[in-house]
Amino acid sequence: MNEARTPRWTFLTNHARVLAAVARDPNTRLRDIAATCRLTERAVQGIVADLERDGYLTRTRAGRRTVYRVTPDTVLRHPADGGRPVADALGLLPAPGHGGTGEDTDSGEPSVQARPR
């Protein structure tokens, strides 16, 4: 019998998904990131704390809102990534809901630019 199986792994980590969401919209709320990434708000809070602690993003207050900024030159941690900046990785990620059709969308582009190599 051939039962439908849920895959046990994904290409992107939750940390990568959250960082990409922040890159796309620095003014986004944690609850919106949670909905987009299909995570709990508490999980997103922990991930944002991890990313901030390790220098991948900063957060500042603007009135009642929190503004998040990706630090584009922060180096990816895995040795196989060869010291490449996080901006390079973010440039590879599709916009949320992008069907992989190759169509460009203005609203989904990350707010950081990859450095030319």
Side-chain angles (χ1 to χ4, degrees), residues 8-9 12 15 18 39 42 64 68 72 80 86 95 103 106 112:
R8 295 161 78 169
W9 61 274
L12 301 176
H15 284 67
V18 169
L39 299 169
R42 186 170 181 97
R64 293 178 37 191
Y68 302 93
V86 71
E103 297 175 22
D106 290 337
V112 296

Side-chain angles (χ1 to χ4, degrees), residues 19 22 48 51-53 55-59 68-71:
L19 192 63
V22 169
V48 166
L51 293 169
E52 184 178 24
R53 182 188 62 239
Y56 288 92
L57 64 80
T58 60
R59 66 176 132 181
Y68 302 93
R69 296 273 184 233
V70 172
T71 310

Side-chain angles (χ1 to χ4, degrees), residues 15 36 40 56 59 75 94 98-99 105 114:
H15 284 67
T36 298
T40 65
Y56 288 92
R59 66 176 132 181
V75 175
H98 189 276
T105 60

Side-chain angles (χ1 to χ4, degrees), residues 15-77:
H15 284 67
R17 292 177 198 283
V18 169
L19 192 63
V22 169
R24 283 189 294 272
D25 183 4
N27 296 305
T28 191
R29 299 176 303 171
L30 292 184
R31 75 177 59 174
D32 296 330
I33 294 171
T36 298
C37 297
R38 298 184 178 191
L39 299 169
T40 65
E41 199 169 333
R42 186 170 181 97
V44 171
Q45 287 173 342
I47 290 168
V48 166
D50 288 346
L51 293 169
E52 184 178 24
R53 182 188 62 239
D54 292 336
Y56 288 92
L57 64 80
T58 60
R59 66 176 132 181
T60 55
R61 296 291 293 181
R64 293 178 37 191
R65 300 293 303 254
T66 302
V67 178
Y68 302 93
R69 296 273 184 233
V70 172
T71 310
D73 290 333
T74 303
V75 175
L76 295 170
R77 298 185 330 167

